[in-house]
Amino acid sequence: MDGLHVTGPQASPHWRISASRTVSYEVRLSTDLLDPSDDTLADAGADPVAPSRRRLLVVDARVNTLFGDRIRDYMDAQAMTYEICVLDADERGKTMDAVFQVVAAMDAFGVSRRREPVLAIGGGVLSDIVGLATSLYRRTTPYVRVPTTLIGMVDAGIGAKTGVNFHQHKNRLGTYHPSAVTLIDATFLRTLPVRHLRNGLAEVLKIALVKDAPLFDVLERHGTRLIAERMQTHDSADRGAATLAVMRHAIHDMLGELQPNLWEHRLDRIADFGHTFSPAIEMHALPDLLHGEAVAVDMALSTELAHHRGLLSAADRDRIHRVITDLGLPTWHPVCSPGLLAEGLADTIRHRDGRQRVPLTVGIGRARFVDDLTLAEIDEALATCQPPGGAPAGRLARMVGA
Amino acid sequence: MDGLHVTGPQASPHWRISASRTVSYEVRLSTDLLDPSDDTLADAGADPVAPSRRRLLVVDARVNTLFGDRIRDYMDAQAMTYEICVLDADERGKTMDAVFQVVAAMDAFGVSRRREPVLAIGGGVLSDIVGLATSLYRRTTPYVRVPTTLIGMVDAGIGAKTGVNFHQHKNRLGTYHPSAVTLIDATFLRTLPVRHLRNGLAEVLKIALVKDAPLFDVLERHGTRLIAERMQTHDSADRGAATLAVMRHAIHDMLGELQPNLWEHRLDRIADFGHTFSPAIEMHALPDLLHGEAVAVDMALSTELAHHRGLLSAADRDRIHRVITDLGLPTWHPVCSPGLLAEGLADTIRHRDGRQRVPLTVGIGRARFVDDLTLAEIDEALATCQPPGGAPAGRLARMVGA
């Protein structure tokens, strides 16, 4: 009977429907994607049987200012038929309205259902928005990601999650929809504001702390130089060895976490380190903190919690704290009140289906989960993180202006 | 290396991420779901390990008027902690705003991520909206469907598709997210307006025409009586044999189509019969036509097309036409201009990734796909369907008032 599983009495049958689906996608380190003679970008995600040369591009407004002409020259040289939708993508604009803007552009362009992947060129916010729009459009259309920020290259642009904020809740609405291909070209980092480079290094530090001690060592030794060199391998004193190590390790570590748990059937995720309190911190501090900065504040707090519990030595706690600071990331923010952290934890518990499942570092490069953090413990850790006299105004001012 | 597939040179590696996922859900024919001593509804979709007694219910406004007290009595008797979100769900209100309404109710209730399925009690529109809201909320939360309309029971409420309309495009935004369980209780049909019963029978007729000749025979012989008896088995002259046959066959046929193609990897779907021109017809005729009525108009047209092509005898064409009419469904609507049908077909081609893939009946109970319909052919079929003098005003007026 059609392979359907039917049980129960004749008058009230029960059907059990089961179906399996394999999702497969690619992440590539590339160079010079906008070289007009290189067909990598034009061919990315194309249908091998019936390729189409039509593409809608969604490009971040700042990226369009810097690279818009080169992008157009590239598409012309590759003889593509295309339209460009320019999106002003920042965290405050990460809403369903931005998704609707992309959907309207897809309708206007008349995107075909499977053969014309939308090209998303921009940072993590843009890729989350385009990912959600293409996921919803005709219940799934393909897209290709070209991250232009470090956080896009090592985190937001290589996973399966899409999402937008809703009613001050971070990523409250979203789907799992990886791009067919993510093309990573580090030369985009040359023009990235240094604050956004630090923002991406926060996610690199996160993955290092929970599973990659050698990567932590690279950040500890070369972090400030990587920032000064903008992670450009050609310009580098060590011929890019540190940059390449950071990119390869960070991407590999992250993908290794994602692949076995792409749809988050397991809610105890070590990659959630630094993401327990940070959603509430980030949303309440908007527009003051970037995502990675909020994660850094959470990591500093979580590091204290791990130390207080005897999971982490004072020496390791201090090393971590120093690296956060060396990377130009904050370890505290004025919105961090005991009340906000309690509220943030309560929502995280709902997000993790009723349990805390908080990953904490056990030494550097390993993590374990705890389920029994108390508010008193959190308040104590917060007091340790908080600088004497409250907000370090100079630091915040420098960061925002950087 | 974490099971990740890495290729390419050292300096520019390519990672290939592959992951599989099995989706499994249940459809049950039940009776007397609101009997306070029956725990079927209260337990549906509950986590077997850590069940929660908290539920958010989303209930159609009309269903709430008719059954709201019984629903509350039931939830109280089952000692559930619950809130009810009443939704005025009709095709014109099938928008992202309705999804946001459900999401806001989920936030206010504080739905846990995996253990507290939202109960969707209403018709196909409501279940599409709640399906999309739960699909997006925290990137997937579970829900349970209790269809209260025939179209919900045999079509919209048993598949994987969710969706809302966007900018006059039918179901332009949506996901694949079946409910954990669908509970079908035909006693809800007792209070369903007869027009909505006919609306559901249109989808039953659809599946009969493409794959189930015996089901067509039941509709042909007993269709008008089924409507008169409101498909209530207890009240029936044949003790419900015809009703049960219709329900079992229609559900089984539909699930048999869905299971091997749950995410529509194949775009040639025989269950799309009657859904080639109907999205454009339905959206342009709003609020004049219900979904099944627009499908009936499309089926009448497609039947003519099949006959013109020699796929269907004149006798079978006439039988089909007679059953559509006997079920009180339209075979034409004044919005059906050649221009609208051409526009509708063009969008359907984009939806089917560049090819027509139009299913046509080959005799009764079988279908094949054609890719080469011409506009001239469609105009000719339309002229055959169109009653002399245009709109049969009496019929439409009767239908809308029924």
Side-chain angles (χ1 to χ4, degrees), chain B residues 3 22 32 91 143 188 194 202 210 222-223 245 268 279-280 289 296 316 355:
Chain B
T22 297
D32 258 340
E91 194 66 39
Y143 70 120
F188 282 111
V194 71
V210 292
H222 305 294
D268 38 353
L289 290 179
D316 279 348
R355 282 171 51 197

mmCIF file of all heavy atoms in Angstrom, chain B residues 3 22 32 91 143 188 194 202 210 222-223 245 268 279-280 289 296 316 355:
data_model
loop_
_atom_site.group_PDB
_atom_site.id
_atom_site.type_symbol
_atom_site.label_atom_id
_atom_site.label_comp_id
_atom_site.label_asym_id
_atom_site.label_seq_id
_atom_site.Cartn_x
_atom_site.Cartn_y
_atom_site.Cartn_z
ATOM 1 N N GLY B 3 34.687 13.427 10.535
ATOM 2 C CA GLY B 3 33.776 12.951 9.502
ATOM 3 C C GLY B 3 33.503 13.982 8.423
ATOM 4 O O GLY B 3 32.647 13.788 7.575
ATOM 5 N N THR B 22 15.461 12.416 9.321
ATOM 6 C CA THR B 22 14.213 11.698 9.089
ATOM 7 C C THR B 22 13.078 12.441 9.769
ATOM 8 O O THR B 22 13.193 12.831 10.927
ATOM 9 C CB THR B 22 14.299 10.262 9.645
ATOM 10 O OG1 THR B 22 15.313 9.567 8.938
ATOM 11 C CG2 THR B 22 12.981 9.525 9.459
ATOM 12 N N ASP B 32 -14.846 11.771 18.631
ATOM 13 C CA ASP B 32 -15.148 12.391 19.930
ATOM 14 C C ASP B 32 -13.916 12.872 20.661
ATOM 15 O O ASP B 32 -13.714 12.593 21.840
ATOM 16 C CB ASP B 32 -15.865 11.358 20.817
ATOM 17 C CG ASP B 32 -17.353 11.654 20.847
ATOM 18 O OD1 ASP B 32 -17.734 12.797 20.524
ATOM 19 O OD2 ASP B 32 -18.119 10.731 21.186
ATOM 20 N N GLU B 91 -8.909 33.163 3.836
ATOM 21 C CA GLU B 91 -7.856 33.262 2.827
ATOM 22 C C GLU B 91 -7.264 34.668 2.748
ATOM 23 O O GLU B 91 -6.065 34.825 2.543
ATOM 24 C CB GLU B 91 -8.416 32.816 1.464
ATOM 25 C CG GLU B 91 -7.376 32.545 0.401
ATOM 26 C CD GLU B 91 -6.461 31.350 0.685
ATOM 27 O OE1 GLU B 91 -6.941 30.322 1.196
ATOM 28 O OE2 GLU B 91 -5.268 31.472 0.410
ATOM 29 N N TYR B 143 3.837 21.033 16.591
ATOM 30 C CA TYR B 143 2.424 21.373 16.721
ATOM 31 C C TYR B 143 1.585 20.145 16.399
ATOM 32 O O TYR B 143 2.102 19.129 15.933
ATOM 33 C CB TYR B 143 2.047 22.576 15.845
ATOM 34 C CG TYR B 143 2.042 22.376 14.348
ATOM 35 C CD1 TYR B 143 0.874 22.573 13.598
ATOM 36 C CD2 TYR B 143 3.192 21.994 13.667
ATOM 37 C CE1 TYR B 143 0.862 22.414 12.225
ATOM 38 C CE2 TYR B 143 3.186 21.825 12.287
ATOM 39 C CZ TYR B 143 2.022 22.030 11.570
ATOM 40 O OH TYR B 143 2.012 21.857 10.215
ATOM 41 N N PHE B 188 -16.800 17.075 13.567
ATOM 42 C CA PHE B 188 -16.728 18.523 13.350
ATOM 43 C C PHE B 188 -17.475 18.939 12.076
ATOM 44 O O PHE B 188 -17.875 20.085 11.929
ATOM 45 C CB PHE B 188 -15.268 18.996 13.247
ATOM 46 C CG PHE B 188 -14.558 19.114 14.568
ATOM 47 C CD1 PHE B 188 -13.540 18.231 14.901
ATOM 48 C CD2 PHE B 188 -14.899 20.104 15.477
ATOM 49 C CE1 PHE B 188 -12.877 18.335 16.114
ATOM 50 C CE2 PHE B 188 -14.244 20.218 16.693
ATOM 51 C CZ PHE B 188 -13.224 19.325 17.021
ATOM 52 N N VAL B 194 -22.241 24.040 4.470
ATOM 53 C CA VAL B 194 -22.246 23.073 3.375
ATOM 54 C C VAL B 194 -21.287 23.491 2.251
ATOM 55 O O VAL B 194 -20.674 22.654 1.601
ATOM 56 C CB VAL B 194 -23.682 22.835 2.852
ATOM 57 C CG1 VAL B 194 -24.204 24.051 2.106
ATOM 58 C CG2 VAL B 194 -23.745 21.594 1.979
ATOM 59 N N ALA B 202 -13.874 18.915 -3.362
ATOM 60 C CA ALA B 202 -13.104 19.242 -4.565
ATOM 61 C C ALA B 202 -11.728 18.586 -4.500
ATOM 62 O O ALA B 202 -11.244 18.024 -5.498
ATOM 63 C CB ALA B 202 -12.967 20.764 -4.712
ATOM 64 N N VAL B 210 -6.869 11.559 -10.428
ATOM 65 C CA VAL B 210 -5.511 11.233 -10.879
ATOM 66 C C VAL B 210 -5.033 9.864 -10.438
ATOM 67 O O VAL B 210 -4.073 9.337 -10.997
ATOM 68 C CB VAL B 210 -4.474 12.295 -10.424
ATOM 69 C CG1 VAL B 210 -4.730 13.616 -11.146
ATOM 70 C CG2 VAL B 210 -4.465 12.474 -8.913
ATOM 71 N N HIS B 222 -22.578 8.665 -4.646
ATOM 72 C CA HIS B 222 -23.064 9.075 -3.328
ATOM 73 C C HIS B 222 -22.760 10.524 -2.962
ATOM 74 O O HIS B 222 -23.084 10.952 -1.855
ATOM 75 C CB HIS B 222 -22.445 8.169 -2.254
ATOM 76 C CG HIS B 222 -22.679 6.715 -2.489
ATOM 77 N ND1 HIS B 222 -23.933 6.137 -2.437
ATOM 78 C CD2 HIS B 222 -21.811 5.725 -2.815
ATOM 79 C CE1 HIS B 222 -23.836 4.846 -2.703
ATOM 80 N NE2 HIS B 222 -22.550 4.562 -2.941
ATOM 81 N N GLY B 223 -22.147 11.260 -3.896
ATOM 82 C CA GLY B 223 -21.693 12.622 -3.565
ATOM 83 C C GLY B 223 -22.780 13.488 -2.964
ATOM 84 O O GLY B 223 -22.590 14.097 -1.899
ATOM 85 N N ALA B 245 -15.368 5.320 3.314
ATOM 86 C CA ALA B 245 -14.594 5.031 2.102
ATOM 87 C C ALA B 245 -13.944 6.312 1.590
ATOM 88 O O ALA B 245 -12.766 6.323 1.217
ATOM 89 C CB ALA B 245 -15.484 4.405 1.029
ATOM 90 N N ASP B 268 7.166 17.242 -10.596
ATOM 91 C CA ASP B 268 6.039 16.693 -11.357
ATOM 92 C C ASP B 268 5.207 15.881 -10.376
ATOM 93 O O ASP B 268 5.506 14.740 -10.057
ATOM 94 C CB ASP B 268 6.504 15.856 -12.553
ATOM 95 C CG ASP B 268 7.745 15.028 -12.258
ATOM 96 O OD1 ASP B 268 8.330 15.200 -11.178
ATOM 97 O OD2 ASP B 268 8.112 14.195 -13.093
ATOM 98 N N PRO B 279 -4.107 28.826 -8.568
ATOM 99 C CA PRO B 279 -3.574 29.857 -7.665
ATOM 100 C C PRO B 279 -3.905 31.271 -8.150
ATOM 101 O O PRO B 279 -4.352 32.117 -7.370
ATOM 102 C CB PRO B 279 -2.059 29.595 -7.687
ATOM 103 C CG PRO B 279 -1.917 28.147 -8.012
ATOM 104 C CD PRO B 279 -3.039 27.863 -8.977
ATOM 105 N N ALA B 280 -3.717 31.522 -9.446
ATOM 106 C CA ALA B 280 -4.032 32.853 -9.985
ATOM 107 C C ALA B 280 -5.536 33.113 -9.934
ATOM 108 O O ALA B 280 -5.978 34.209 -9.566
ATOM 109 C CB ALA B 280 -3.517 32.980 -11.415
ATOM 110 N N LEU B 289 -14.101 33.061 -4.354
ATOM 111 C CA LEU B 289 -13.937 31.611 -4.453
ATOM 112 C C LEU B 289 -13.162 31.069 -3.251
ATOM 113 O O LEU B 289 -12.154 31.649 -2.849
ATOM 114 C CB LEU B 289 -13.160 31.237 -5.724
ATOM 115 C CG LEU B 289 -13.833 31.430 -7.078
ATOM 116 C CD1 LEU B 289 -12.877 31.032 -8.205
ATOM 117 C CD2 LEU B 289 -15.120 30.600 -7.171
ATOM 118 N N ALA B 296 -11.711 23.456 -8.497
ATOM 119 C CA ALA B 296 -12.757 22.860 -9.341
ATOM 120 C C ALA B 296 -12.787 23.529 -10.708
ATOM 121 O O ALA B 296 -12.907 22.857 -11.747
ATOM 122 C CB ALA B 296 -14.122 22.970 -8.651
ATOM 123 N N ASP B 316 -16.105 10.325 -20.531
ATOM 124 C CA ASP B 316 -15.461 10.561 -19.242
ATOM 125 C C ASP B 316 -15.423 12.060 -18.913
ATOM 126 O O ASP B 316 -15.605 12.466 -17.765
ATOM 127 C CB ASP B 316 -14.032 9.992 -19.240
ATOM 128 C CG ASP B 316 -14.015 8.495 -18.971
ATOM 129 O OD1 ASP B 316 -15.071 7.958 -18.561
ATOM 130 O OD2 ASP B 316 -12.960 7.867 -19.174
ATOM 131 N N ARG B 355 9.502 24.396 -16.261
ATOM 132 C CA ARG B 355 8.714 23.542 -17.153
ATOM 133 C C ARG B 355 7.257 23.532 -16.702
ATOM 134 O O ARG B 355 6.954 23.762 -15.543
ATOM 135 C CB ARG B 355 9.269 22.118 -17.154
ATOM 136 C CG ARG B 355 10.518 21.970 -18.016
ATOM 137 C CD ARG B 355 11.179 20.619 -17.823
ATOM 138 N NE ARG B 355 10.225 19.514 -17.975
ATOM 139 C CZ ARG B 355 10.450 18.257 -17.553
ATOM 140 N NH1 ARG B 355 11.603 17.960 -16.986
ATOM 141 N NH2 ARG B 355 9.555 17.319 -17.714
#
